[in-house]
């Protein structure tokens, strides 16, 4: 099976739906011209392999035509145009959602029509009609409130009519959408919210909305709010150039949100027809609703609209295979990537840790803060958090007692950095050589290393890690303080910490909610914003440039030091995996798919603002799958018992934490088989052969 045809590479197989807003060329009351504009954009969408296209309000007639809306000749021509669009849609893959004035029961309604595969699937009337300031819709239209379980005759067919419709593709489980029209989402209780409670994952808004100063911001506010509250995607399309400018102007704004995230926005004031295209992650939306019991409670409080709404089922003629992924994917999902919010986001992350530590100092009345300083990232960050906490509490920096504890694998460079850092931070500094005590313990337990054999096994490493923590706890008792833990979220995810009396344990784990990639970025932010002296900044820069290593094993004959990432995988990949697993419960196959689109080229995914060019790595699918399989084995298979016994520590990122008292609860004796099998079974056979050596398991 070729790479492009394998289901793994089809975004639809991972719950994505390609949506677009369309701003067609238009003229007031020129139905033929407007119909041609709709079909032009529909054909563009078909070529772009779009699944759903949302047009502006009253697309076929135009919006700002006043009393012309009450002319039978116009309304007859609109219904004829509807038949033309329906016929043309038989050759087009996208579902079209467009606006038209339609008559029913002696009344005129402002309607959204849903057309797909040569059929009119249903018609949704506008619920709320603005009749203030420049708007006079009640002069022409009847409102759609209370229109449920009804039908309408359009172009010779009887189709469902009402505000109680959710449209769902039979062959794409996540492709479920509801429709509201312009003013509907300005109402205190928008009808789109009920459609979401009834099961719609995507909400479409056909809008006219003339432009005035500040109105574009108002639309963003309402779209983002609607998408966030409904836990949905929100696709908004407003009328553009071509509407009547008798008293108003139009900018053609198209906006697409997914929950709280702005994914795409069209160019405004464009003279030509325009599509704004993006891929929506319906799996992510559904997973968030599954976790949010308030959403379920709201559906119950609303009378279970999922039972009363009519679900209009259709077979979607989507394009399969590898059609790419049109979506910004953050390589570093725990790290701020918005340049305009960079300082604020880093400020919050850093000060969450600082404030939490301050409260613990106040609550315990501690006379000292004891930290093991290795010259590595985690202990460095814990120290700068502790230093800032002392500064804000008015305590001398000497309250912090830092100890570097060289072992058998400690390099001179990290040891020097540790001393330089403690000196620059003006804390109480000390050094304890743990090698004599470690040698004695290895002798006592009969370990081969004590007899001169180069045996550097887990016991050899854990003796050193345990002694360091043991010393720190005794020093904390001696100096009437507590041990500040340095271990981070990434290490907890991988189980990369020595359980109990080891780096797993402390009195307060200040870094427990911060992944390794965020720690690296926060240290850069501390340097760039001048949080400490230039001397501190120089040492921090040197520590950032040092390879991540536990330094528990002596260098080899070639002088190479022990590398953490060679053993557990690149932290940038592990943090990517962790985010999608704990925040959204994504299938391993989808995590691999997202990682591929984020990491296979330097230009593919979103880099954090100011990320160093020299550190911009890429990974192919085989490499991603190999490290993801190892992550799944470590995360689900044997590391939970360490997380179940965590000391206190603050949650920092909304993506989650691993404390059993917070975001993550799991059995300590689970197995990883389900997740590892799902990954292997989803991958192309050549990748399975390369990574795992066979295709059987």
């Amino acid at each position: 099976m070729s790479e492009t045809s394998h289901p793994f590479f089809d975004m639809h197989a991972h719950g994505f739906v390609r949506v677009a807003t369309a701003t067609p060329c238009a003229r007031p009351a020129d139905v033929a011209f407007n119909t041609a504009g709709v079909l032009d954009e529909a054909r563009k969408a078909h070529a772009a392999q779009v699944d759903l296209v949302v047009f502006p309000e009253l697309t076929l007639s135009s919006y700002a035509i006043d009393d012309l809306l009450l002319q039978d000749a116009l309304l007859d021509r609109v219904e004829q145009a509807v038949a033309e669009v329906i016929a043309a849609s038989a050759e087009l893959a996208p579902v079209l959602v467009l606006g038209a004035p339609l008559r029913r029961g002696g009344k005129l309604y402002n309607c959204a029509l849903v057309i797909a595969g040569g059929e009119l699937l249903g018609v949704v009337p506008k619920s709320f009609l603005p009749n203030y300031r420049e708007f006079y819709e009640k002069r022409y239209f009847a409102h759609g409130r209370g229109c449920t379980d009804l039908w309408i005759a359009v172009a010779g067919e009887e189709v469902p009519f009402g505000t109680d419709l959710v449209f769902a593709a039979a062959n794409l489980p996540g492709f479920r959408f509801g429709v509201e029209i312009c003013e509907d989402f300005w109402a205190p209780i928008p009808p789109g919210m009920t459609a979401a409670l009834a099961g719609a994952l995507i909400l479409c808004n056909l809008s006219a909305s003339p432009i005035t100063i500040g109105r574009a911001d108002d639309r963003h506010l309402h779209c983002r709010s609607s998408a966030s509250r409904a836990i949905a995607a929100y696709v908004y399309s407003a009328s553009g150039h071509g509407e009547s400018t008798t008293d108003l102007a139009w900018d053609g704004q198209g906006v697409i949100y997914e929950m709280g995230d702005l994914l795409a926005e069209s160019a405004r004031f464009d003279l030509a027809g325009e599509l704004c295209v993006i891929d929506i992650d319906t799996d992510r939306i559904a997973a968030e609703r599954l976790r949010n019991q308030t959403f379920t409670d709201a559906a119950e409080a609303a009378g279970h609209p999922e039972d009363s709404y009519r679900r209009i089922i259709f077979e979607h003629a989507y394009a399969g295979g590898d059609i790419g992924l049109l979506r910004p994917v953050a390589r570093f999902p725990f790290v701020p990537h918005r340049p305009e919010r960079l300082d604020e986001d880093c400020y919050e992350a850093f000060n969450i840790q600082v404030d939490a530590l301050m409260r613990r100092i106040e609550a315990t009345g501690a006379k000292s803060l004891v930290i093991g300083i290795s010259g590595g990232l985690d202990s460095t960050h814990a120290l700068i958090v502790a230093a800032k906490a002392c500064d804000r509490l008015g305590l001398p920096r000497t309250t912090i007692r830092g100890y570097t504890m060289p072992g058998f694998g400690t390099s001179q460079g990290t040891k020097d950095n540790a001393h330089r850092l403690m000196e620059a931070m003006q804390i109480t500094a000390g050094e304890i050589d743990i090698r004599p005590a470690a040698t004695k313990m290895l002798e006592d337990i009969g370990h081969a290393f004590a007899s001169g054999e180069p045996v550097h096994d887990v016991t050899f490493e854990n003796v050193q890690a345990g002694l360091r923590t043991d010393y720190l706890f005794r020093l904390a008792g001696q100096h009437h303080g507590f041990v500040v833990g340095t271990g981070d979220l990434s290490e907890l995810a991988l189980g990369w910490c020595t359980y109990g009396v080891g780096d797993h344990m402390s009195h307060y784990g200040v870094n427990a909610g911060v992944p390794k990639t965020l720690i690296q970025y926060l240290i850069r932010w501390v340097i760039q914003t001048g949080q400490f002296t230039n001397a501190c900044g120089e040492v921090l820069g040197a520590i950032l440039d040092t390879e991540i290593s536990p330094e528990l094993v002596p260098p080899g004959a070639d002088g190479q030091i022990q590398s953490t990432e060679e053993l557990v995988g690149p932290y940038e990949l592990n943090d990517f995996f962790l985010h999608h697993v704990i925040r959204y419960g994504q299938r391993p196959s989808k995590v691999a798919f997202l990682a591929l689109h984020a990491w296979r080229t330097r230009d593919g995914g979103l880099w954090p603002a100011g990320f160093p060019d020299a550190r911009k790595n890429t990974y192919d699918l085989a490499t991603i799958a190999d490290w993801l399989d190892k992550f799944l084995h470590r995360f689900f298979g044997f590391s939970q018992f360490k997380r179940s016994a965590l000391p206190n520590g603050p949650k920092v990122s909304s993506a989650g934490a691993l404390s059993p008292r917070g975001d993550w609860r799991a059995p300590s004796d689970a197995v990883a088989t389900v997740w590892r099998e799902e990954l292997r079974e989803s991958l192309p056979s050549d990748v399975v052969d390369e990574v795992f050596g066979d295709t059987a398991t």
Side-chain angles (χ1 to χ4, degrees):
M1 184 176 287
S2 69
E3 177 175 296
T4 56
S5 63
H6 191 280
F8 175 84
F9 297 98
D10 182 357
M11 69 163 203
H12 295 98
H14 302 286
F16 291 99
V17 174
R18 184 160 295 174
V19 303
T21 64
T23 308
C25 293
R27 289 178 188 162
D30 191 339
V31 178
F33 185 87
N34 296 344
T35 303
V38 166
L39 293 178
D40 282 346
E41 298 310 310
R43 292 183 185 107
K44 288 184 200 173
H46 176 82
Q49 298 164 313
V50 171
D51 298 303
L52 174 68
V53 188
V54 180
F55 290 87
E57 184 176 8
L58 296 177
T59 326
L60 297 179
S61 62
S62 300
Y63 177 83
I65 58 175
D66 300 321
D67 285 358
L68 301 186
L69 286 164
L70 299 175
Q71 292 287 310
D72 284 341
L74 179 87
L75 297 176
D76 291 344
R77 184 62 183 90
V78 165
E79 189 161 338
Q80 181 184 337
V82 171
E84 293 169 9
V85 175
I86 292 171
S89 73
E91 305 299 323
L92 302 172
V95 177
L96 311 178
V97 184
L98 64 152
L102 294 180
R103 292 163 291 192
R104 182 189 182 278
K107 300 175 184 176
L108 183 66
Y109 292 90
N110 181 341
C111 297
L113 292 74
V114 178
I115 298 171
E119 291 184 67
L120 176 58
L121 300 179
V123 176
V124 179
K126 187 172 184 176
S127 292
F128 294 96
L129 304 175
N131 217 61
Y132 52 88
R133 301 175 71 187
E134 68 263 39
F135 302 107
Y136 296 91
E137 287 193 36
K138 290 182 181 179
R139 180 180 178 93
Y140 320 110
F141 298 115
H143 69 75
R145 299 190 304 277
C147 290
T148 59
D149 203 25
L150 300 176
W151 293 72
I152 187 172
V154 184
E157 297 289 337
E158 288 274 342
V159 300
F161 174 84
T163 57
D164 59 339
L165 304 182
V166 168
F167 302 86
N171 52 339
L172 282 182
F175 190 8
R176 306 195 303 270
F177 64 93
V179 182
E180 59 185 8
I181 303 173
C182 200
E183 185 76 9
D184 289 348
F185 88 150
W186 298 80
I189 304 176
M193 291 294 161
T194 312
L197 295 173
L201 299 176
I202 303 169
L203 299 179
C204 308
N205 188 311
L206 299 78
S207 176
S209 187
I211 186 62
T212 55
I213 294 172
R215 185 164 289 180
D217 287 342
D218 287 344
R219 296 176 193 145
H220 273 291
L221 172 66
H222 282 73
C223 289
R224 184 180 183 189
S225 175
S226 294
S228 298
R229 289 179 179 276
I231 311 180
Y234 204 87
V235 186
Y236 175 90
S237 181
S239 298
H241 181 80
E243 280 284 358
S244 171
T245 56
T246 300
D247 292 300
L248 301 167
W250 315 84
D251 63 334
Q253 185 174 23
V255 173
I256 303 172
Y257 276 86
E258 182 179 300
M259 296 193 283
D261 301 325
L262 174 62
L263 295 189
E265 182 176 10
S266 69
R268 296 165 59 209
F269 302 103
D270 201 337
L271 300 185
E274 181 187 5
L275 282 180
C276 176
V277 184
I278 205 72
D279 294 335
I280 294 296
D281 188 348
T282 62
D283 274 0
R284 175 177 179 248
I285 296 167
E288 185 68 3
R289 287 188 183 178
L290 195 66
R291 283 163 173 70
N292 191 312
Q293 295 305 310
T294 300
F295 186 89
T296 303
D297 291 345
E300 179 182 354
H304 294 288
E306 70 273 18
D307 297 331
S308 60
Y309 265 57
R310 290 176 285 173
R311 184 161 293 197
I312 311 302
I313 306 297
F314 63 97
E315 197 75 18
H316 180 45
Y318 68 90
D322 186 358
I323 64 170
L325 184 67
L326 303 179
R327 177 184 178 86
V329 182
R331 288 179 170 88
F332 294 79
F334 289 102
V335 175
H337 64 267
R338 301 171 294 177
E340 71 279 8
R341 297 291 301 275
L342 173 63
D343 185 71
E344 180 180 343
D345 288 350
C346 288
Y347 169 85
E348 284 184 343
F350 184 59
N351 280 283
I352 287 169
Q353 294 179 272
V354 171
D355 191 75
L357 183 59
M358 288 168 56
R359 182 68 191 101
R360 187 51 57 101
I361 294 170
E362 291 174 330
T364 60
K367 304 301 181 186
S368 68
L369 305 177
V370 177
I371 307 179
I373 307 297
S374 68
L377 290 171
D378 292 347
S379 63
T380 295
H381 188 62
L383 176 55
I384 61 181
V385 168
K388 188 63 72 173
C390 286
D391 291 350
R392 289 183 59 189
L393 287 171
L395 299 173
R397 295 262 186 93
T398 51
T399 302
I400 305 168
R401 305 187 70 87
Y403 296 89
T404 183
M405 292 175 280
F408 299 115
T410 302
S411 67
Q412 191 61 45
T414 55
K415 180 180 172 182
D416 289 346
N417 280 342
H419 279 291
R420 288 174 59 205
L421 181 63
M422 291 189 289
E423 180 180 359
M425 285 289 184
Q426 299 177 317
I427 68 170
T428 303
E431 178 178 325
I432 299 173
D433 188 343
I434 66 166
R435 288 172 294 183
T439 300
K440 179 66 169 66
M441 181 174 285
L442 292 167
E443 287 176 354
D444 290 344
I445 66 175
H447 193 274
F449 180 82
S451 302
E453 297 182 37
V455 178
H456 306 140
D457 56 9
V458 173
T459 302
F460 173 79
E461 295 187 19
N462 285 351
V463 162
Q464 297 173 77
L467 278 170
R468 284 172 174 150
T469 304
D470 203 0
Y471 274 117
L472 293 175
F473 270 91
R474 302 323 136 219
L475 288 162
Q478 182 179 3
H479 296 286
H480 309 289
F482 63 81
V483 177
V484 177
T486 61
D488 63 47
L489 184 69
S490 306
E491 294 177 342
L492 290 169
L494 297 166
W496 191 249
C497 51
T498 302
Y499 183 75
V501 184
D503 53 330
H504 163 263
M505 191 49 61
S506 65
H507 289 110
Y508 193 70
V510 73
N511 286 341
V514 189
K516 191 80 73 177
T517 50
L518 182 53
I519 283 179
Q520 291 172 316
Y521 209 73
L522 286 173
I523 293 175
R524 289 192 186 99
W525 174 80
V526 164
I527 298 170
Q528 292 166 358
T529 56
Q531 298 290 318
F532 298 100
T533 64
N534 290 337
C536 288
E538 290 177 8
V539 184
L540 294 175
I543 291 170
L544 279 173
D545 292 335
T546 303
E547 181 171 5
I548 299 171
S549 171
E551 293 197 330
L552 294 170
V553 174
D558 58 359
Q560 290 295 310
I561 65 168
Q562 184 182 18
S563 171
T564 297
E565 292 184 301
E566 286 183 5
L567 296 170
V568 300
Y571 276 113
E572 57 194 12
L573 281 184
N574 282 319
D575 284 357
F576 185 96
F577 303 154
L578 176 63
H579 170 83
H580 291 283
V581 166
I582 68 169
R583 181 63 182 86
Y584 298 110
Q586 304 278 26
R587 298 176 187 86
S589 58
K590 181 165 185 176
V591 176
F593 177 81
L594 287 168
L596 178 65
H597 283 276
W599 290 96
R600 64 180 168 184
T601 65
R602 284 169 64 97
D603 300 328
L606 294 175
W607 292 104
F611 194 86
D613 284 340
R615 291 180 177 265
K616 291 183 176 179
N617 298 317
T618 60
Y619 303 99
D620 61 19
L621 180 57
T623 303
I624 290 167
D626 187 24
W627 287 122
L628 178 54
D629 181 67
K630 291 178 171 62
F631 170 86
L632 297 171
H633 177 52
R634 298 188 70 97
F635 183 80
F636 290 106
F638 62 82
S639 300
Q640 181 58 40
F641 77 100
K642 298 180 181 181
R643 299 189 287 266
S644 295
L646 282 181
N648 295 165
K651 176 179 175 178
V652 173
S653 169
S654 63
L658 293 174
S659 167
R661 299 168 297 276
D663 286 342
W664 184 256
R665 296 165 180 81
S668 294
D669 46 9
V671 294
T673 306
V674 167
W675 292 268
R676 299 180 76 187
E677 284 182 348
E678 196 278 339
L679 175 63
R680 294 192 187 200
E681 290 168 0
S682 72
L683 294 168
S685 57
D686 58 336
V687 175
V688 175
D689 287 340
E690 179 180 350
V691 176
F692 306 110
D694 63 76
T695 59
T697 57

